[in-house]
Amino acid sequence: MKVNQIKDLVSKMTLDEKIGQVIQLATPFFKGASDEGQITGPMKEMHIPDHMLQHIGSVLGASGAKETRSIQEQYLQDSRLRIPLLIMSDIIHGYKTIFPVPLAIGSSWDLELAEKSATIAAKEAAVSGVHVTFAPMVDLVRDPRWGRVMESTGEDSYLNSAFAKAQVRGFQGSDLKHDHESVASCVKHFAGYGAAEGGRDYNTVNMSERELRESYLPAFKAALEAGSKLVMTAFNTVDGIPASANKLLMRDLLREEWNFDGVVISDWGAVKELIPHGVASDEKEAAMKAITAGVDIEMMTGCYANHLQQLIETNAMDVELLNEAVIRILQLKDELGLFDDPYRGADEKREAEVVMCSAHRQAARDIAAKSCVLLKNEQDVLPLATTQKMALLGPFANSNDILGPWSWLGDKNEAIPLDVGMRNQLPASQLYVANGCGVNKHCEQDLSKAIELAKQSDVVVLALGESSEMSGEAGSRTNIQLPQAQLDLVAAIVKLGKPTVAVLFNGRPLDLHGVVDQVDAVLEAWYPGTEGGTAIADILFGNVNPSGKLTMSFPYNVGQIPVYYNSYNTGRPQGAINAQERYVSQYLDCPNEALFPFGYGLSYTYFKYSDLELSSDLMTPDKPITVKVKVTNAGDVAGQEVVQLYIRDLVGEVVRPLKELKGFQKISLQPGEERVVMFTLTEEQLRYHHADLSYHSDEGRFDLYVGANSQDVMTISFNLHKTKGE
Ligand code: BGC
């Protein structure tokens, strides 16, 4: 439809019909839902007037072609103007075929695989009738106490931006209107949610606008450049103003500066939360503040439903604010092709063919293996020889709680636990399995059994971790060690002196005391998704060489948090020369650096870096420099390496990070093979936000680093020279 046709449609709508469009309610509010529209408990307390229910413009959490078709059908029967309902759901790391959590996918540093996982998730969701996914989540994260770090791709804005684009491309494809196996994407949570104080969910965020723009906003901008159709607001405050009432963020930045013309939706209940935040005295004021600041759709509270009409009729609010929001929402419905086909992709037959098909499971297996990060491998205890007798112990030995948070449509019974994955690749008589303890509880009898089995084995694999409720939304923790029962299991097993490997299932960087210092090898498998057990077995037995690298630093302990690679130098930096001095910026009881830094991850082979050179040691705005480095596979198995390029701007107008990622390439090398890897670095990549928020580069010297992670690098320097006036 043309804009004029949409405006014409809006002009025919009654006030109630328009208000209905800016409200989103969950599935139970709708006729035709599988629970037959039973509204109970807290939902009833929203007091949405009955006559409004038939006008509600979008539904949250409906799924399955049968249900979505039936909801749409019944809805349209009651709809005077036959405006289709928009169906939105959280399809975060898969629909039913569950991929590893986003923090794990980030660790693959593989944008193609990330895009593919989003394409598959979109396809399964779209044939089940979903139109919009609440993804990607692109919040920058530096605090592993926050349970939602598992939803992000980590602590670096450059990498997050690259993954944001890849995911949006994957979800949306290239033609939302006609390709009905794609879904529209809603980038979230705008903005700053990843910086909740103390890692406590929903907590205050306090940072300068400069820092917000420099670190926290680029991934949103990238997602919008890739075409993301919606933006979701965050729960937190930003400089004292809740994000869902934040005019500076939504009107001034998003709409005016970035020209975003898509739909802004609040997070769940965030409009009404303006009351406890203390910026609105009641629902009416909350509605007024949110719509004025730019929230088009209110999710799951009744402020718009119960108060917009009165606000407009008393002239407290300009009806144009509502009209604009409705136009954007109808435009989105049109862009999805819903006016032509309100059922869009929803097709039970296609659903049966596509959802969880073998190609999707295979992709989940590949991505899960590529997401594993090998943190330690002393004496090359990994890969395991399939001729060895193995004891697989620990609470995750046979657990199917490996899908991770935000896999509400995933079926745990379809997940492959580690024991099944290993058994498929080993004679059954060689694998002994026991738990030894629960995730959070001791079990003396089981511990004795585990010890017995370990004694009879050549090697022990300990499958340890956090249950999925221990992270995700509202999953903040102040202690990020493994629970004591599991640490006790590790201690009892290592006493036996057998080669011991720990495989970790979790959604955040952990404090690995009591594990990493005890065992010979550690494989971080995250929440690996549906094919987790198979993928991890692929790594343990060497069918796949691990190539994942961390995108979020692992601290020594909680006291060090936040610890991230791109921090500032301070006026009293710690270094080799002042190692004995007291008055330097340091801890008395712990190193400053992370235990495992950003970009870190081992392989079964090893890579040698040499011959780092620049095309010139002088860069100008119209003369980028080319960086070359030789990378050699110096081991005896084929492997993949993520070659990382960082810079440091030595003198800026404001202080600059010690290192900033500016490029990376994932390459595959056969044993003995060498490759010259090339990067181009431009003046544009050296720009940053100055004190007055202007975005440009400064002349002067830059250090450039290339290496296997943010700490182990080769260094070279160049100068940026700009002619006057630039
Ligand atoms: C979460 C969002 C999610 C929404 C809808 C909220 O609690 O913060 O990330 O998209 O619920 O389910």
Side-chain angles (χ1 to χ4, degrees), residues 443-623:
C443 175
E444 291 317 321
Q445 216 181 346
D446 212 27
L447 178 62
S448 316
K449 182 176 165 200
I451 293 171
E452 266 328 294
L453 295 180
K455 282 184 183 158
Q456 293 164 36
S457 307
D458 304 314
V459 58
V460 181
V461 177
L462 289 169
L464 310 168
E466 294 185 316
S467 63
S468 48
E469 301 88 68
M470 290 166 78
S471 65
E473 185 172 348
S476 299
R477 298 179 65 205
T478 60
N479 174 355
I480 56 168
Q481 281 194 287
L482 288 177
Q484 194 57 45
Q486 297 188 53
L487 296 177
D488 292 344
L489 173 68
V490 175
I493 296 299
V494 296
K495 259 196 224 147
L496 307 176
K498 303 272 179 177
T500 303
V501 177
V503 178
L504 303 173
F505 296 82
N506 52 286
R508 54 158 60 87
L510 294 168
D511 168 347
L512 287 175
H513 269 102
V515 181
V516 78
D517 44 344
Q518 300 294 314
V519 300
D520 303 290
V522 178
L523 182 71
E524 176 54 78
W526 310 107
Y527 295 117
T530 307
E531 287 290 328
T534 321
I536 297 165
D538 285 339
I539 298 261
L540 293 178
F541 298 132
N543 304 324
V544 177
N545 189 350
S547 59
K549 306 251 190 180
L550 299 177
T551 62
M552 194 177 172
S553 304
F554 270 51
Y556 276 87
N557 58 41
V558 167
Q560 243 193 339
I561 295 170
V563 58
Y564 49 95
Y565 88 96
N566 41 6
S567 56
Y568 302 128
N569 203 31
T570 80
R572 296 189 179 192
Q574 188 194 44
I577 339 163
N578 60 14
Q580 305 308 320
E581 285 177 32
R582 182 181 179 91
Y583 296 98
V584 290
S585 180
Q586 64 190 354
Y587 295 109
L588 297 178
D589 56 355
C590 179
N592 283 1
E593 291 75 30
L595 172 62
F596 296 116
F598 178 84
Y600 177 87
L602 303 172
S603 161
Y604 294 155
T605 186
Y606 57 100
F607 299 95
K608 231 180 81 211
Y609 285 70
S610 63
D611 304 292
L612 174 60
E613 56 181 61
L614 304 180
S615 54
S616 162
D617 60 4
L618 185 69
M619 182 198 279
T620 63
D622 52 13
K623 202 171 121 232

Side-chain angles (χ1 to χ4, degrees), residues 65 68-69 72 76 84-87 122-123 125-133 171-173 175-185 332-348 350:
T68 53
R69 287 189 76 95
Q72 188 73 282
L76 288 173
L85 184 67
L86 199 49
I87 300 174
K123 191 174 200 164
V127 299
S128 309
V130 174
H131 308 144
V132 172
T133 177
F171 287 130
Q172 297 197 158
D175 185 2
L176 274 177
K177 190 156 199 164
H178 302 103
D179 168 11
H180 288 180
E181 297 199 347
S182 61
V183 294
S185 117
L332 174 63
K333 292 184 180 187
D334 182 50
E335 280 166 341
L336 282 157
L338 289 171
F339 284 105
D340 303 326
D341 176 4
Y343 302 102
R344 206 172 172 265
D347 178 342
E348 283 187 74
R350 190 80 186 116

Side-chain angles (χ1 to χ4, degrees), residues 24 60-61 89-90 92 133-135 137 148 151 186 188-189 193 201-202 232-233 235 266-269 299-300 406 408 473:
Q24 175 164 93
L60 156 76
S89 281
D90 289 277
I92 309 296
T133 177
F134 295 129
M137 186 275 216
R148 299 194 80 166
E151 289 177 56
C186 174
K188 67 188 188 187
H189 307 82
Y193 188 30
D201 209 357
Y202 318 121
M232 184 189 289
T233 66
F235 287 124
S266 79
D267 202 344
W268 177 295
M299 185 197 293
M300 280 308 285
W406 283 128
W408 59 292
E473 185 172 348

Side-chain angles (χ1 to χ4, degrees), residues 47-354:
H47 305 299
I48 309 275
D50 279 352
H51 75 277
M52 279 308 293
L53 282 177
Q54 75 190 71
H55 302 308
I56 303 302
S58 66
V59 52
L60 156 76
S63 68
K66 190 163 176 232
E67 176 174 80
T68 53
R69 287 189 76 95
S70 143
I71 293 178
Q72 188 73 282
E73 195 179 343
Q74 306 236 12
Y75 179 81
L76 288 173
Q77 277 171 14
D78 295 337
S79 167
R80 188 177 67 92
L81 295 166
R82 292 192 64 78
I83 297 175
L85 184 67
L86 199 49
I87 300 174
M88 310 199 194
S89 281
D90 289 277
I91 311 301
I92 309 296
H93 51 111
Y95 178 79
K96 276 196 199 293
T97 305
I98 301 297
F99 294 96
V101 293
L103 190 60
I105 294 186
S107 307
S108 73
W109 295 59
D110 193 324
L111 301 173
E112 268 172 44
L113 283 185
E115 182 172 339
K116 186 170 177 185
S117 73
T119 303
I120 291 174
K123 191 174 200 164
E124 293 194 358
V127 299
S128 309
V130 174
H131 308 144
V132 172
T133 177
F134 295 129
M137 186 275 216
V138 302
D139 295 308
L140 185 117
V141 289
R142 291 174 173 168
D143 192 331
R145 291 172 297 183
W146 194 44
R148 299 194 80 166
V149 301
M150 48 69 52
E151 289 177 56
S152 162
T153 49
E155 72 190 30
D156 183 79
S157 64
Y158 174 88
L159 196 65
N160 287 351
S161 301
F163 275 108
K165 285 189 174 172
Q167 290 178 80
V168 172
R169 281 197 303 268
F171 287 130
Q172 297 197 158
S174 53
D175 185 2
L176 274 177
K177 190 156 199 164
H178 302 103
D179 168 11
H180 288 180
E181 297 199 347
S182 61
V183 294
S185 117
C186 174
V187 61
K188 67 188 188 187
H189 307 82
F190 194 66
Y193 188 30
E197 280 181 0
R200 176 156 58 83
D201 209 357
Y202 318 121
N203 203 8
T204 306
V205 168
N206 239 330
M207 72 172 79
S208 67
E209 183 178 347
R210 209 184 58 76
E211 172 63 355
L212 192 70
R213 284 176 182 266
E214 188 67 10
S215 303
Y216 289 80
L217 294 180
F220 286 93
K221 196 152 185 236
L224 297 181
E225 279 164 11
S228 181
K229 294 287 173 198
L230 301 92
V231 171
M232 184 189 289
T233 66
F235 287 124
N236 52 278
T237 55
V238 177
D239 198 11
I241 312 232
S244 305
N246 202 308
K247 184 175 161 295
L248 281 174
L249 276 180
M250 288 181 284
R251 295 250 178 236
D252 302 356
L253 195 124
L254 197 55
R255 298 267 182 232
E256 294 288 317
E257 196 180 318
W258 292 359
N259 291 320
F260 176 63
D261 62 359
V263 171
V264 175
I265 185 167
S266 79
D267 202 344
W268 177 295
V271 173
K272 192 168 171 186
E273 287 173 20
L274 299 179
I275 304 171
H277 268 302
V279 297
S281 53
D282 54 20
E283 287 195 12
K284 189 164 144 194
E285 194 178 355
M288 182 68 193
K289 286 212 160 175
I291 199 146
T292 310
V295 174
D296 295 324
I297 301 181
E298 176 185 8
M299 185 197 293
M300 280 308 285
T301 40
C303 307
Y304 284 6
N306 294 316
H307 302 283
L308 287 191
Q309 183 184 358
Q310 205 206 358
L311 284 167
I312 291 168
E313 285 174 355
T314 57
N315 289 327
M317 171 189 150
D318 184 350
V319 70
E320 273 314 304
L321 277 179
L322 177 64
N323 290 345
E324 277 170 21
V326 175
I327 290 170
R328 283 193 282 266
I329 294 160
L330 297 188
Q331 244 157 5
L332 174 63
K333 292 184 180 187
D334 182 50
E335 280 166 341
L336 282 157
L338 289 171
F339 284 105
D340 303 326
D341 176 4
Y343 302 102
R344 206 172 172 265
D347 178 342
E348 283 187 74
K349 184 162 162 276
R350 190 80 186 116
E351 189 179 32
E353 287 162 10
V354 163

